[in-house]
Amino acid sequence: MMLFQRETPVRALVTWFPDWPLVAARLADALPPDVPAAVIGQGVIAACSAEARAEGVVRGLRLREAQTRCPELVVCAVDPVRDAREFEPVVSSLEERTPGVEVLRPGLCAIRAKGAARYYGGEEAAAGAVLESADRLAVEARVGIADSVFAAEQAARSTSELSAVLVLPPGSSRDFLAPFPVEVLGQPKLASLLKRLGILTLGNFADLPAADVRARFGAAGIIAHALASGQDPRKVIPRTPPRKLDQRAEFEPGLDRVDQLAFQLRATADAFVAGVQTEGLVCTELRVLITDEAGSRSERTWGHPRHFTASDVVDRVRWQLQSQPPAHTSNKAVNGGMSDGGMARGGLSSPVTRVEFVPIRVDSIAHHGRALFGDGAEEQIHHGLSRIQSMLGHEAVVVPAISGGRLLAERRRLVPWGDALPAGAADLASRPWPGRIPDPQPATVFASLIPVLLLDADKEKVRTDHRGGLLAPPTWFCPTGDPARRRLVIQWAGPWPLKQRWWDSSHRLEADRFQLVDGNGEAWLLLLDEQNWWAEARYD
């Protein structure tokens, strides 16, 4: 009985983009170019630049050791979403030259070699077309062609900068793979076991009888055995290209005024919204990417409480430009040539040459249809708040949200109308936070602590001893900090010590909390630091 049906190998063309996590980070401006840089995941180096490798930094090295070898190393965290997003234009460019691309993972893709070779007149010519497609996007690529996807991947990884293509003749994949170590199978547990058994290379593993491999290593072992034998059972399954919902506008020459940019983008915004609606969808989360003549890119994701219209899209571009650091004022701006519609108060440092709209989250248009008699008060509220935002700016209308923390000011967060709660805020809010004030919470939380006085019967400031107890009970409370306008303390509770981040000098907090009710019937939450009393909130 056959262990699995071995079909005639289908030759595959695999394109590998070296150090793609690093390339994607640089494309997204998360890492600067031409400096020692690395992408880290779980505390180890996942990918590094040539400048870093020249200093001894290698993949798999711990971050502390890498920084010891290269003190100038610039790092950022691994981001699979970023890798996939930046890889999408590369795949689209490949599909223009060689349709039928399967994305194995960001930075690695495969196509059937037969069709491409027939079209371009040979496998080497097809590989050249793939490299030319990558060169148009200024990314480095390597190509391997073999009888299986696995062998073609190893061939691509065996190339160099001077020779970026390696074509294995038909039937030679097993001999090519024989000297490779068993670690390239991508199964650490199996590789460790094989090495303990004295099987160090793929050739040694491929020489074992398939029946014995299945009996000893199971289904995973027989698949790995097929890979080592050049009989990869995987087929190249071309992806279905995603629907083209994003829109791009390019300007030559670049535009240096916000009002001009907003006017020119109106048609692009209309096309974007219409394209999404043609698919029976609406956009509820939008990414706006703005590129200037200097190559700098501004990227931000915007949310919407309902769904984006063309006017909303244009507003987000304007707000994004206004939220940028102020540009260097030119002579034209100094002489009055640039009006308030320009970028003198903020924006990119040079004229804008490209704006892209990418839908991040969409929803069925059926969920956002208008009711028979309109949406009533909700629609009016949304229209009014959006109108205020369009006139005063994105930060002009905010809604409260709960985050994590022990101090009330830390727990309160104001989010611009339409934006989603920042990532991780809900998780922080759900944590126990020992030492926080129990319910019910104060209704009025002061934006900043208000200085007050809490006095004892001798009109001396109330203090605590080294064990956290009161040296004298409170008698008088001065909410304005003026002893002449004091109130009698009716009830009080506390103090409760609050100590956090003792290891961090810039965020360390050591204080005592106190609750009281004054003679006017108002309840207060107070905070005592090393020197002074403060009002943190009031119970209304």
Side-chain angles (χ1 to χ4, degrees):
M1 182 179 64
M2 298 187 66
L3 298 175
F4 60 83
Q5 185 68 30
R6 298 201 181 192
E7 301 177 355
T8 303
V10 177
R11 288 181 68 77
L13 185 154
V14 170
T15 308
W16 172 55
F17 299 86
D19 300 321
W20 180 253
L22 177 75
V23 175
R26 283 180 165 173
L27 290 175
D29 292 333
L31 287 175
D34 303 326
V35 299
V39 177
I40 59 171
Q42 298 182 349
V44 299
I45 302 298
C48 58
S49 64
E51 297 85 357
R53 284 192 289 269
E55 299 292 334
V57 179
V58 295
R59 183 179 179 183
L61 195 67
R62 290 190 176 275
L63 176 59
R64 181 172 297 180
E65 177 63 23
Q67 291 174 331
T68 301
R69 298 184 182 184
C70 181
E72 301 84 12
L73 187 67
V74 181
V75 300
C76 73
V78 169
D79 187 352
V81 175
R82 178 185 62 211
D83 296 346
R85 182 179 70 244
E86 299 297 336
F87 194 53
E88 181 61 31
V90 178
V91 177
S92 299
S93 178
L94 291 179
E95 288 176 331
E96 294 177 1
R97 297 294 186 94
T98 55
V101 177
E102 178 188 2
V103 179
L104 303 176
R105 61 178 177 273
L108 188 69
C109 55
I111 64 172
R112 297 189 182 101
K114 182 178 179 180
R118 181 180 300 173
Y119 181 83
Y120 287 101
E123 293 179 340
E124 290 83 357
V130 170
L131 293 179
E132 183 180 351
S133 177
D135 288 340
R136 289 194 307 169
L137 299 178
V139 293
E140 181 185 4
R142 312 280 180 86
V143 177
I145 302 178
D147 292 336
S148 66
V149 173
F150 177 74
E153 178 184 349
Q154 302 310 316
R157 293 180 180 274
S158 300
T159 57
S160 62
E161 294 184 7
L162 299 179
S163 179
V165 178
L166 178 58
V167 180
L168 302 182
S172 65
S173 295
R174 177 166 178 165
D175 294 336
F176 170 76
L177 294 172
F180 282 78
V182 293
E183 286 83 0
V184 300
L185 292 171
Q187 300 185 31
K189 292 183 179 179
L190 177 62
S192 177
L193 178 57
L194 291 175
K195 292 176 67 176
R196 292 198 299 269
L197 295 174
I199 302 172
L200 304 180
T201 64
L202 297 185
N204 301 144
F205 189 37
D207 290 338
L208 298 178
D212 294 343
V213 171
R214 184 178 183 87
R216 178 64 179 85
F217 304 107
I222 198 64
I223 294 176
H225 185 263
L227 298 180
S229 304
Q231 300 278 340
D232 188 351
R234 294 178 297 175
K235 297 180 180 180
V236 177
I237 303 176
R239 73 167 189 164
T240 300
R243 292 172 292 186
K244 190 70 173 180
L245 298 179
D246 53 320
Q247 291 286 336
R248 173 187 299 181
E250 298 189 358
F251 309 103
E252 181 61 39
L255 302 180
D256 59 356
R257 292 172 57 92
V258 176
D259 53 352
Q260 291 178 344
L261 190 63
F263 179 78
Q264 294 290 337
L265 284 176
R266 182 69 193 200
T268 305
D270 286 333
F272 170 76
V273 174
V276 174
Q277 291 180 349
T278 301
E279 300 293 338
L281 304 170
V282 292
C283 179
T284 59
E285 191 171 342
L286 170 70
R287 176 177 289 116
V288 177
L289 301 98
I290 304 174
T291 306
D292 65 5
E293 286 184 347
S296 300
R297 185 164 70 168
S298 168
E299 178 178 339
R300 181 166 176 178
T301 300
W302 299 89
H304 198 284
R306 300 183 67 188
H307 61 86
F308 282 98
T309 64
S311 298
D312 295 330
V313 173
V314 174
D315 282 341
R316 267 55 178 186
V317 175
R318 181 159 51 85
W319 296 342
Q320 185 165 327
L321 288 172
Q322 292 172 350
S323 67
Q324 299 300 312
H328 296 292
T329 305
S330 62
N331 293 333
K332 181 179 179 181
V334 173
N335 295 330
M338 180 179 289
S339 67
D340 291 342
M343 296 184 186
R345 292 179 299 171
L348 300 178
S349 57
S350 59
V352 173
T353 59
R354 181 192 304 166
V355 178
E356 300 175 65
F357 303 134
V358 181
I360 300 302
R361 184 175 300 170
V362 295
D363 193 11
S364 173
I365 197 172
H367 299 159
H368 297 265
R370 297 188 61 180
L372 181 61
F373 299 103
D375 296 328
E378 180 181 353
E379 182 179 2
Q380 296 177 12
I381 292 173
H382 167 68
H383 177 76
L385 296 181
S386 299
R387 180 63 177 167
I388 294 175
Q389 278 186 315
S390 66
M391 293 187 297
L392 302 181
H394 182 55
E395 305 289 341
V397 182
V398 294
V399 294
I402 298 178
S403 184
R406 293 180 176 85
L407 294 178
L408 296 179
E410 296 175 342
R411 298 193 64 206
R412 183 192 63 177
R413 177 167 297 191
L414 298 177
V415 181
W417 168 257
D419 281 8
L421 190 65
D427 178 64
L428 288 174
S430 63
R431 294 181 182 179
W433 292 104
R436 71 176 183 179
I437 293 297
D439 294 332
Q441 298 292 318
T444 301
V445 178
F446 303 122
S448 58
L449 298 178
I450 298 176
V452 297
L453 284 177
L454 190 63
L455 308 176
D456 57 18
D458 297 329
K459 298 181 183 179
E460 297 291 336
K461 190 179 297 186
V462 174
R463 294 293 185 187
T464 58
D465 57 24
H466 65 283
R467 303 187 64 178
L470 292 180
L471 296 176
T475 304
W476 302 102
F477 172 60
C478 308
T480 62
D482 183 5
R485 304 182 64 181
R486 59 184 181 272
R487 303 177 184 177
L488 187 65
V489 175
I490 305 301
Q491 293 179 325
W492 58 273
W496 301 286
L498 180 61
K499 298 181 180 181
Q500 63 179 14
R501 295 184 178 271
W502 53 267
W503 63 91
D504 188 348
S505 59
S506 59
H507 296 87
R508 181 172 54 201
L509 175 62
E510 184 172 352
D512 293 281
R513 269 179 162 160
F514 201 87
Q515 291 175 328
L516 65 82
V517 178
D518 62 22
N520 291 359
E522 295 182 343
W524 299 79
L525 177 64
L526 307 183
L527 196 69
L528 171 65
D529 60 14
E530 297 179 355
Q531 299 292 334
N532 302 305
W533 282 94
W534 307 88
E536 185 179 358
R538 184 175 62 236
Y539 294 86
D540 293 337

